[in-house]
Amino acid sequence: MDNTSLTTGGFTLPGEAGYETLTLELAKKWGADVIRDSDGTQLSSEITESDYDIYSTLCLVRADNEWAKANPTKLQQCCVMSEPVTADGETVTVDLLKGYFKEQLVINSDDDPKEWWQVFDRTSGEEVSTDCWSFDKEKGSVTIESAIKWHRYTVNFFCYRIWEEISMYNHVTNDWGDKEHLMPIDPIHPEARDQIREYLAKWLADHPNTKVVRLTSMFYNFWWFWGDPAKQRFIVNDWGSYEFSVSTEAIRQFEKQFGYRPKSEDFINAGLYNNSYKVPSKLYRDWMDFINQLVVSFGKECVDRIHEAGKLAFVFYNDHWIGIEPYNERFKDFGFDGIIDGIFNGFETRKVAECPAVNVRELRMHPYLFPTGVNGEPSFLPGGKPTEECKRYWTDIRRALLRKGCDRIGFGGYLHLVENHPDFVDYIEELGNEFRQLRGLHQAGAPEELPLKVAILSAWGNTRAWACCGHFNHGNYYNEAMESVSGLAAETVFISFDDILEKGIDPSIDVIINAGIVDDSWSGGEYWKNPSIVEALSAFIGEGGGFIGIGEPSSQRHGSQYFQLAHIMGVDREIGLTSAFNRPGFEVVSDHFITADTDASLDLGKTVDSIYLTDTSAKVLAAKGNSPTIAVNEFAKGRCVYLAGHTYEAKNLRVLLRALFWAAGKESLVEKGFSSNLYCECAYYPKSGKLVVINNSSEPQTTSISTASGAIEISLEPNASKIIDQPSPV
Amino acid sequence: MDNTSLTTGGFTLPGEAGYETLTLELAKKWGADVIRDSDGTQLSSEITESDYDIYSTLCLVRADNEWAKANPTKLQQCCVMSEPVTADGETVTVDLLKGYFKEQLVINSDDDPKEWWQVFDRTSGEEVSTDCWSFDKEKGSVTIESAIKWHRYTVNFFCYRIWEEISMYNHVTNDWGDKEHLMPIDPIHPEARDQIREYLAKWLADHPNTKVVRLTSMFYNFWWFWGDPAKQRFIVNDWGSYEFSVSTEAIRQFEKQFGYRPKSEDFINAGLYNNSYKVPSKLYRDWMDFINQLVVSFGKECVDRIHEAGKLAFVFYNDHWIGIEPYNERFKDFGFDGIIDGIFNGFETRKVAECPAVNVRELRMHPYLFPTGVNGEPSFLPGGKPTEECKRYWTDIRRALLRKGCDRIGFGGYLHLVENHPDFVDYIEELGNEFRQLRGLHQAGAPEELPLKVAILSAWGNTRAWACCGHFNHGNYYNEAMESVSGLAAETVFISFDDILEKGIDPSIDVIINAGIVDDSWSGGEYWKNPSIVEALSAFIGEGGGFIGIGEPSSQRHGSQYFQLAHIMGVDREIGLTSAFNRPGFEVVSDHFITADTDASLDLGKTVDSIYLTDTSAKVLAAKGNSPTIAVNEFAKGRCVYLAGHTYEAKNLRVLLRALFWAAGKESLVEKGFSSNLYCECAYYPKSGKLVVINNSSEPQTTSISTASGAIEISLEPNASKIIDQPSPV
């Protein structure tokens, strides 16, 4: 692959049989070096035998539906909580699948319900004895005897999943009609692994022109319950949750390895399941480890077969990505050659860009070439504005790409949908060239980083580096802050509370960010009850570290304060139990380093209310009524910034950047490659002697960039970038 | 006392020596029948020997400062938590009174600190062994050895209170300079009781012209910590809390009676103390009972002495009212002749009006004749608008007075302050006459009540009937709703969760209101974890009862939902742990009985966000973005209304009234004495054949009132009322 050209290469085009001319025309115009197929499209021999490299998608767990149909007990499973039913008498009957999509789930009655299932009285919180309930296989219901009137009952039960979810989504979204439903088989079973081995061998033989096997992905999809279509299409969707790796057989094998047996309630957690917002329990971490082992060991075997066939193995960082965990230790064992993810934002860009142990990192851009976009936008439907959409995403992605490079971009879906959008066709040509320019700069040498090391602290730590719960979760303080940080020239690491408990806080860290709300995995939840955590943070800050708390940092209903670092941040939150207390008044300090570039129009977006000063030491830089929204405090040798909210947006971004400088005690960094205009940012590539300046807004902007050799004035068209010769450092 | 005149009587005037002419002139103009003294004023013989009845204020616990000075160990006490100190090494020293007002508190070192005090590591939550700390009496500090660096430490210690708080407030507010500080003595000591007996006997002999002894009040003031004046004047102020009845001697006597000994931490509760927002613990209820016994038994003795002297005993429902508890069983034992409270609002009016076991109920109006009002308004200072203020309060009071009558009104303070406010002098004459008219109607016979029984459910129940934590706590859902209900023609009762556990729910109740936020005493906090509570409410609603939940009704982090009645209300709140779940969409229903009188301008004020529909059964009547603010649901035979907030204001009031009708299944009540204009209300007095219509707004209003004989059109001046002959019922 040519990776020095500025007009060709590093671009993956989705080809489409029946549109061979279009495929080859666009491949040329967009500078593609690779053509791929997608779910729902094939490549004809006219394409596969062209001069382009061929990526072929392959999803091993849904690849052979005949085998799946013949082996229904080897399908993937999951554990489900029925909708609660309120008892109106001593007997209550629960229709297990009520509210769920019956084309996705069927009840597993092969494994003895009395052994595997649990029935709960959710009003009392107590389990109902197995003697007191019975399962009616015919009706798909459980009947509870000696129920207590008015109590709510739920049943935890196991299901087979009979429609592989990504295929189901593509099928339903694109109206594939009576096309057969594909079913996912479970490699926890040796028979399923044998079948996959056999299928893969045949597939490799059948695809001589394929250069890259694009695995989408390995074996287990992220968690995605669908609802009764008449009432609610989607019930829950969590990119990070392992609920679809749960099965009776996996539990049996887990027990053999870990010496204890999870119960259904360990996966259900009273309806919370093990979702990404929940602080992971010890059991759930063990479960993730168990699944990770299986996925890596069998995954490596598959990758080895692909390599033996002379092909490369790229993995899609999505769909069936559960158990792959690129940021964990074992990932390198797979031997993947490349990783690809479908992304919209800066943080997702960094997630791909910093993925270890692969040679190729590829961004699959949006809009996906489907009539309706993955985020619900009417991209290629009447009224859709694919160019505008793509430009919006690219502007966010580019910020991050300035800091860490990727090797390739690409699209997916039905290529023919672009036919009616000549502006889109032209824009993608332009975008491809802009991407290649940035790639070239990174290839020559990394951009300058500020001497500022930022650690984002959550219960997940590096396991969910540059990730939250899927695509951008707007309004989530953690995700908003991470998106903002993704485009800053600061070294960024992700640390967990367990990291702190095990090895303390790395003294090279300048500032720790903790963002989230009470009890969630992002703020850290119950970890804040652990005195060792408070000690470690206190020592870090007290000895000169910086701390930025966003939303409800360090919050927990524990002890004599709600923010466990209230005494350090100088602010706490009134949660309604101490309303009789008077709190110190304050005046908003209008002149401060952190807010120097903003004015009263600064809007932090959604903010946490009822914040008060614990004493008179903190300074308030902004407030909504009586509730501070930005407050700064000094604690021993360290500095804290409290933000009642944060939204990824230019003014907030600037406040966060300055807060990082201030908290680190490195205010002078404002003189280093700083854009006077907050809608613009820049990066300096010393090896190339180039300064890249970007306009993040859809208006023209002029900015002055401070460099070692003086300020430079630059004007930029809407959303544009400029590359400027700059031999001396910024 | 003449209580039929419409121009004279039922009015208590604060007299002032040195202003005899003014006193007697205003007594005549305002139709006073009683002249009183106030804290800071005396009555001269010219006044006391006039034809007016004389009320004399008497506060027995601060009456004899010589005795107090001579008996410092008999002063009242309290338990205090020091400001937390963060350890910066192995030794940490806590300055006990740091941040507190040293003219209010002195450390009690007479009772052995090692026996009585407790030191806590608030980071770990653990108590520090008494071996590890020492008290330095000289410095007023505690030093902790073997502290853990970065942990926060507090000391629970006992103090004497050396400045009686009400007197302190009056002293400071009115700049009394070097006037001696009065100290409160504690009748827990037999010696103090003897002294009070002796003092009272002498006082009674010395006040031959006094007709009514106005006790302000009995022995223990509500909880009111003052702060270091340089930093924060008030630390905490809670009208309902018993913290100022706590002393070492009271604990000793409590132990003898109840068989267990409270620790300091039982009163401190990690800094929450036992404030009114906290769900009362069993120990705290026992403590209240213990203090109530003491106050009633010794209080009765004092009242008996007053009666024996041929005088009446009225009690002030404020200041040292702790332990009096008018709504509790023992109150009748006092033998009080009257009760008086200083009030601003409707709910406080009802609190006085419905007080049992007294003959006279008097409202002390505001503004108090002090330069600065009790609520901080500059009433009689330059810029003050006492007439406007008074009219505002009266408009709120009058709504409640329409439903339940009181016998008297009055003022307090320095009479001469009104001299420069002739408009105020005229307005009070008018107000007095309006009051007497309403009193006359009530005397002839009660107004019609709607056949609608409302129960307000909280952890406090009837013990805090028509009360919250002091004057109007704006923004508190419970207080806002109570204020709205105080002017409705519905029978209103207050029930507690313990009432429900002990005797179930009275089936004569039509609608239960639960308003508050998670964990607070108003919503009920941990009571909602008790399945018996959920059962009782479910049965009540399921069998046809109505339920109105405001804010976070039935909330608790327990089981599979946050609102424990979510399945009944049809809504729950997302608290950030299930953000991955999709929730049913909704359309706002614009045409509903509850919102029939309002439009998009309806503003519920502060509301709880992130509300979602649990399924598709509830109807949404209003929403802020994706979060419903008004939702209705049917559950079996009952009906529920969820309000995400409520503000005492005309449109909200109307929504609440209609919600009550709807929840009760009594929509036809809208035809009974209903004002078409939501700024007006009315009451019908069948015995007098009079309809009173009031204008609650400061604009002129016209309304149509529906009556049995057809609609009546009425026009009203701003804030005015009209009395209309209406022989047939409404």
Side-chain angles (χ1 to χ4, degrees), chain A residues 100-117:
Chain A
Y100 289 96
F101 188 36
K102 295 192 179 63
E103 296 185 56
Q104 180 185 20
L105 302 172
V106 293
I107 298 164
N108 167 4
S109 49
D110 298 324
D111 294 292
D112 180 12
K114 295 278 176 163
E115 181 186 348
W116 291 93
W117 301 6

Side-chain angles (χ1 to χ4, degrees), chain B residues 258-298:
Chain B
F258 284 81
Y260 69 95
R261 177 163 170 164
K263 291 185 168 188
S264 66
E265 185 64 4
D266 292 315
F267 299 105
I268 296 297
N269 286 313
L272 278 184
Y273 294 79
N274 289 292
N275 81 71
S276 295
Y277 297 82
K278 182 177 177 296
V279 174
S281 64
K282 170 72 171 58
L283 179 142
Y284 183 55
R285 286 180 188 281
D286 285 351
W287 184 264
M288 290 174 69
D289 186 45
F290 168 73
I291 295 296
N292 182 229
Q293 283 178 46
L294 170 76
V295 171
V296 174
S297 76
F298 185 53

Side-chain angles (χ1 to χ4, degrees), chain B residues 14-90:
Chain B
E16 189 171 2
Y19 296 90
E20 286 76 9
T21 311
L22 179 72
T23 301
L24 297 172
E25 255 178 38
L26 285 182
K28 189 154 179 223
K29 183 171 171 69
W30 290 352
D33 52 346
V34 164
I35 298 180
R36 59 167 288 200
D37 59 1
S38 303
D39 193 21
T41 66
Q42 288 81 42
L43 302 183
S44 53
S45 58
E46 200 177 325
I47 296 170
T48 58
E49 289 164 17
S50 67
D51 280 346
Y52 293 95
D53 287 342
I54 300 298
Y55 283 16
S56 301
T57 55
L58 177 59
C59 180
L60 292 164
V61 294
R62 69 177 181 220
D64 186 342
N65 220 33
E66 294 312 308
W67 194 89
K69 282 189 278 186
N71 294 275
T73 64
K74 303 297 180 289
L75 292 179
Q76 294 194 12
Q77 302 184 18
C78 61
C79 192
V80 181
M81 184 178 90
S82 67
E83 281 189 0
V85 175
T86 303
D88 57 5
E90 280 198 2

Side-chain angles (χ1 to χ4, degrees), chain A residues 440-688:
Chain A
L441 293 174
H442 280 287
Q443 280 167 350
E448 270 202 354
E449 239 175 21
L450 294 167
L452 179 68
K453 184 168 177 177
V454 177
I456 300 184
L457 171 63
S458 75
W460 288 112
N462 200 52
T463 295
R464 288 285 171 276
W466 300 115
C468 183
C469 171
H471 297 303
F472 200 162
N473 183 352
H474 292 278
N476 176 301
Y477 302 125
Y478 178 84
N479 206 152
E480 297 275 359
M482 181 166 59
E483 177 66 7
S484 289
V485 168
S486 73
L488 302 183
E491 182 186 354
T492 306
V493 297
F494 290 81
I495 60 173
S496 73
F497 294 90
D498 285 342
D499 290 340
I500 292 178
L501 293 173
E502 283 158 25
K503 22 180 215 222
I505 298 175
D506 176 354
S508 73
I509 292 169
D510 291 296
V511 184
I512 291 175
I513 297 177
N514 182 237
I517 61 173
V518 66
D519 290 342
D520 80 7
S521 57
W522 316 113
S523 77
E526 62 208 23
Y527 277 108
W528 286 108
K529 285 186 185 165
N530 187 334
S532 304
I533 292 298
V534 175
E535 283 168 39
L537 268 295
S538 302
F540 170 76
I541 302 165
E543 287 157 13
F547 182 82
I548 298 182
I550 306 179
E552 295 191 310
S554 80
S555 54
Q556 208 51 198
R557 290 166 196 253
H558 167 71
S560 58
Q561 49 197 34
Y562 178 63
F563 292 165
Q564 298 303 310
L565 301 185
H567 57 298
I568 294 178
M569 295 190 286
V571 295
D572 204 344
R573 186 175 187 205
E574 171 60 60
I575 54 167
L577 294 181
T578 55
S579 299
F581 286 77
N582 292 281
R583 304 301 182 182
F586 58 83
E587 298 211 349
V588 173
V589 175
S590 56
D591 177 30
H592 194 277
F593 176 82
I594 291 176
T595 46
D597 297 335
T598 59
D599 53 25
S601 68
L602 173 70
D603 178 3
L604 302 185
K606 191 179 83 175
T607 50
V608 165
D609 63 8
S610 305
I611 298 300
Y612 64 85
L613 299 192
T614 53
D615 54 35
T616 51
S617 74
K619 280 189 189 138
V620 176
L621 309 188
K624 261 190 200 168
N626 292 324
S627 188
T629 53
I630 308 181
V632 296
N633 198 38
E634 310 212 357
F635 175 76
K637 296 183 197 153
R639 288 175 168 184
C640 295
V641 182
Y642 173 74
L643 300 170
H646 179 77
T647 300
Y648 166 63
E649 168 278 336
K651 290 177 191 166
N652 277 260
L653 183 53
R654 184 54 66 95
V655 164
L656 186 63
L657 176 62
R658 283 181 164 273
L660 287 165
F661 289 164
W662 185 83
K666 293 182 175 178
E667 291 97 318
S668 65
L669 291 182
V670 84
E671 287 154 23
K672 225 177 142 50
F674 196 76
S675 162
S676 64
N677 181 328
L678 50 73
Y679 295 101
C680 299
E681 292 176 288
C682 67
Y684 179 63
Y685 298 78
K687 281 278 165 53
S688 312

Side-chain angles (χ1 to χ4, degrees), chain A residues 86 123 150-152 232 234-237 270-272 275 519 535 539 557-558 560-561 567 577-578 580 582, chain B residues 86 123 150-152 232 234-237 270-272 275 519 535 539 557-558 560-561 567 577-578 580-582:
Chain A
T86 303
T123 303
W150 304 118
H151 284 220
R152 282 168 302 115
Q232 188 184 13
F234 302 134
I235 291 176
V236 65
N237 181 336
L272 279 183
N275 80 72
D519 290 342
E535 283 168 39
R557 290 166 196 253
H558 167 71
S560 58
Q561 49 197 34
H567 57 298
L577 294 181
T578 55
N582 292 281
Chain B
T86 303
T123 303
W150 304 118
H151 283 220
R152 283 169 300 116
Q232 189 184 15
F234 302 133
I235 291 176
V236 66
N237 181 337
L272 278 184
N275 81 71
D519 290 342
E535 284 168 38
R557 290 165 195 253
H558 166 72
S560 57
Q561 48 198 36
H567 57 299
L577 294 181
T578 55
F581 285 76
N582 292 281

Side-chain angles (χ1 to χ4, degrees), chain A residues 109-134:
Chain A
S109 49
D110 298 324
D111 294 292
D112 180 12
K114 295 278 176 163
E115 181 186 348
W116 291 93
W117 301 6
Q118 288 177 284
V119 177
F120 279 89
D121 173 341
R122 296 293 178 190
T123 303
S124 70
E126 281 164 23
E127 186 176 351
V128 175
S129 154
T130 49
D131 303 336
C132 297
W133 58 267
S134 56

